């Protein structure tokens, strides 16, 4: 019994998933750099993900998925492998779950039967429309509205920096509405081809990403387009974060591992002053510190994901800790790796340079480090009391 099986319940099923993910990553190795430089869906990556069947992890078996329920640990393990090989592939895989999970836990049977099998097969791409110009971490500040008029739900507003905008077939959309208790937040399911929906590219990020702004100009929807209970959107949003936040940590561990391997290869083969870089003390220290960072982040990530497998909502604070630790560690590791490689770490579009750019946004999305630390500290002090 190896340590991962002993400590986290890993067994044949988890190892098989890692092997599946590694096979998928290997199958797109020749197009990964091209895909990672794109801000629109790469058809080759999409077809490879579809053929792998791994997107079925994002949907319950009842609706075409691979397991009885979405397993945070399985998603985490797969993202670790995918991100090491291709950020485009990792993002496409992750968003199938992030964009559809509110349907899984809050949708009607009809909504689940219609959308989830298509998500599992990658016939449909999912989108989650939360953020706006004045609503990032502060989601309660959203201004997109839904009103009931003539038996329909009418959506007005604009969402910004939405992953998969321009490619998604639907948007799970956070809206504000007036209920008896005052302004409240609700979720509606908006097909991307509904009249009044339009998209445009967001400003390009330092690491290319399928990203855009979505406008809802009087979009009329049937009452059945609601997701969950009116005014209770944050419960579904938190359920999504509870399952998928820890997977960001898994992706960060994969990225850091890839960067460190690049640096280690360079240090072993590059000679300066008559000996390999590895034999120079300062370089060895950079590598050793980075390996420590990777393994500490991996252990915390696996622990949080194992807890989330049992009770995702109860484990959300642990998932936040893992997300902060792993993404911050990835930034340190990539920076050190560039330093080890010197000018070779600065070559545009080289693997290490792509890792360097891809690491930075991970400390911002799905909970900026500083915002998550506030919640972590609050929980700590409550537990001490």
């Amino acid at each position: 019994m190896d340590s991962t099986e002993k400590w986290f319940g890993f067994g044949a099923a988890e190892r098989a998933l890692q092997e599946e993910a590694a096979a998928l990553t290997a199958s797109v190795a020749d197009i990964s750099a091209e895909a990672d430089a794109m801000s629109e869906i790469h058809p080759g990556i999409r077809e490879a993900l579809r053929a792998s069947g791994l997107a079925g992890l994002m949907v319950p078996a009842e609706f075409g998925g691979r397991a009885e329920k979405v397993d945070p640990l399985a998603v985490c393990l797969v993202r670790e492998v995918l991100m090491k090989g291709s950020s485009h592939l990792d993002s496409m895989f992750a968003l199938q779950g992030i964009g559809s999970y509110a349907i899984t836990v809050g949708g009607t049977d009809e909504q689940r039967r219609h959308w989830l099998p298509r998500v599992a097969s990658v016939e449909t791409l999912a989108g989650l429309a939360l953020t706006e110009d004045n609503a990032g971490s502060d989601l309660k500040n959203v201004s997109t509205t839904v009103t009931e008029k003539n038996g329909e739900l009418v959506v007005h507003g604009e969402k910004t920096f939405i992953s998969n905008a321009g490619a998604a077939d639907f948007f799970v959309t956070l809206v504000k509405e007036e209920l008896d208790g005052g302004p409240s937040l609700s979720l509606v399911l908006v097909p991307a081809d509904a009249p009044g929906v339009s998209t445009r590219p967001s400003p390009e990020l330092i690491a290319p990403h399928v990203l855009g702004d979505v406008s809802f100009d009087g979009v009329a929807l049937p009452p059945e387009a609601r997701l969950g209970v009116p005014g209770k959107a944050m419960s579904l949003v938190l359920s999504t974060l509870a399952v998928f936040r820890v997977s960001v940590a898994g992706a960060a561990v994969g990225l850091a591992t890839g960067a460190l391997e690049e640096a280690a290869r360079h240090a072993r083969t590059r000679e300066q002053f008559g000996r390999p870089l590895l034999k120079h003390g300062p370089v060895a220290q950079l590598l050793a510190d980075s390996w420590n960072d990777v393994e500490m982040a991996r252990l915390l990530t696996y622990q949080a994901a194992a807890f989330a497998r049992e009770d995702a909502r109860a484990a959300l604070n642990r998932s936040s800790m893992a997300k902060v630790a792993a993404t911050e560690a990835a930034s340190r590791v990539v920076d050190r790796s560039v330093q080890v490689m010197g000018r070779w770490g600065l070559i545009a579009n080289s693997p290490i340079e792509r890792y360097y750019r891809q690491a930075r946004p991970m400390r911002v999305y799905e909970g900026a480090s500083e915002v998550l630390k506030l919640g972590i500290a609050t929980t700590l002090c409550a537990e001490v009391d």
Side-chain angles (χ1 to χ4, degrees):
M1 178 181 289
D2 64 24
S3 60
T4 54
E5 184 174 359
K6 177 180 179 181
W7 293 341
F8 305 110
F10 288 11
E14 287 75 20
R15 287 192 291 271
L17 276 179
Q18 291 172 315
E19 291 169 2
E20 281 187 70
L24 171 57
T25 301
S27 74
V28 300
D30 59 334
I31 59 173
S32 61
E34 176 184 80
D36 287 1
M38 293 176 60
S39 299
E40 56 188 33
I41 295 293
H42 190 293
I45 296 290
R46 180 174 183 171
E47 174 56 27
L49 178 59
R50 184 205 63 77
S52 75
L54 282 171
L57 292 171
M58 302 304 197
V59 171
E62 181 182 0
F63 301 102
R66 293 178 49 159
E68 182 180 353
K69 62 180 182 178
V70 180
D71 181 350
L73 179 56
V75 173
C76 185
L77 293 174
V78 171
R79 289 198 66 184
E80 180 183 346
V81 178
L82 299 188
M83 185 64 188
K84 181 182 174 184
S86 167
S87 64
H88 192 88
L89 174 59
D90 169 67
S91 177
M92 191 182 301
F93 170 74
L95 286 167
Q96 289 300 88
I98 294 168
S100 70
Y101 193 70
I103 302 174
T104 296
V105 295
T108 65
D109 287 342
E110 182 179 353
Q111 288 169 333
R112 289 193 284 254
R113 285 194 299 267
H114 179 79
W115 291 109
L116 295 183
R118 293 171 170 82
V119 169
S121 67
V122 200
E123 175 186 345
T124 284
L125 296 182
L128 179 63
L130 301 181
T131 59
E132 301 178 5
D133 279 344
N134 295 314
S137 298
D138 183 11
L139 288 178
K140 292 182 180 179
N141 203 35
V142 299
S143 60
T144 299
T145 61
V146 64
T147 55
E148 293 192 21
K149 185 176 181 180
N150 299 326
E152 293 182 317
L153 302 176
V154 182
V155 182
H156 285 277
E158 184 165 308
K159 299 292 183 176
T160 57
F161 286 82
I162 303 303
S163 294
N164 272 359
D169 294 283
F170 66 83
F171 297 102
V172 169
T173 307
L174 184 65
V175 294
K176 182 173 290 184
E177 69 173 323
E178 292 291 333
L179 299 174
D180 290 342
S184 301
L185 296 177
S186 300
L187 283 181
V188 291
L189 176 55
V190 185
D193 60 358
V197 178
S198 61
T199 64
R200 65 179 183 276
S202 297
E204 188 70 82
L205 302 185
I206 58 173
H209 183 72
V210 182
L211 200 68
D213 299 344
V214 187
S215 294
F216 304 97
D217 186 10
V219 180
L221 304 168
E224 295 77 20
R226 285 191 181 278
L227 282 169
V229 178
K232 302 296 183 182
M234 290 311 296
S235 176
L236 294 179
V237 171
L238 287 174
S239 293
T240 299
L241 292 175
V243 170
F244 292 102
R245 177 172 285 162
V246 71
S247 77
V248 181
V253 169
L255 184 152
T257 301
L260 182 56
E261 289 178 0
E262 290 288 323
R265 292 188 194 99
H266 185 83
R268 188 179 60 195
T269 58
R270 171 75 167 164
E271 289 194 2
Q272 289 287 275
F273 304 103
R275 54 182 176 171
L277 288 178
L278 177 60
K279 299 300 182 180
H280 295 273
V283 173
Q285 182 174 339
L286 290 172
L287 294 173
D289 286 346
S290 294
W291 198 12
N292 280 336
D293 268 342
V294 169
E295 292 306 320
M296 286 190 292
R298 178 177 281 116
L299 288 172
L300 181 56
T301 297
Y302 287 177
Q303 182 199 63
F307 283 153
R309 169 184 266 181
E310 298 301 318
D311 187 339
R313 288 291 291 269
L316 182 54
N317 192 61
R318 287 275 176 175
S319 295
S320 295
M321 292 171 65
K323 197 269 184 183
V324 171
T327 57
E328 296 288 338
S331 284
R332 293 193 298 271
V333 169
V334 175
D335 188 72
R336 294 191 198 109
S337 296
V338 169
Q339 196 70 13
V340 167
M341 298 178 69
R343 67 180 184 272
W344 304 106
L346 303 175
I347 296 174
N349 297 317
S350 64
I352 191 64
E353 189 266 350
R354 295 204 309 274
Y355 285 138
Y356 188 85
R357 287 185 286 106
Q358 291 160 0
R360 188 60 185 87
M362 301 183 84
R363 293 161 59 194
V364 175
Y365 69 76
E366 284 209 40
S369 293
E370 292 73 21
V371 174
L372 296 185
K373 287 177 182 178
L374 179 60
I376 292 166
T378 300
T379 301
L380 168 66
C381 291
E383 290 186 356
V384 169
D385 284 344

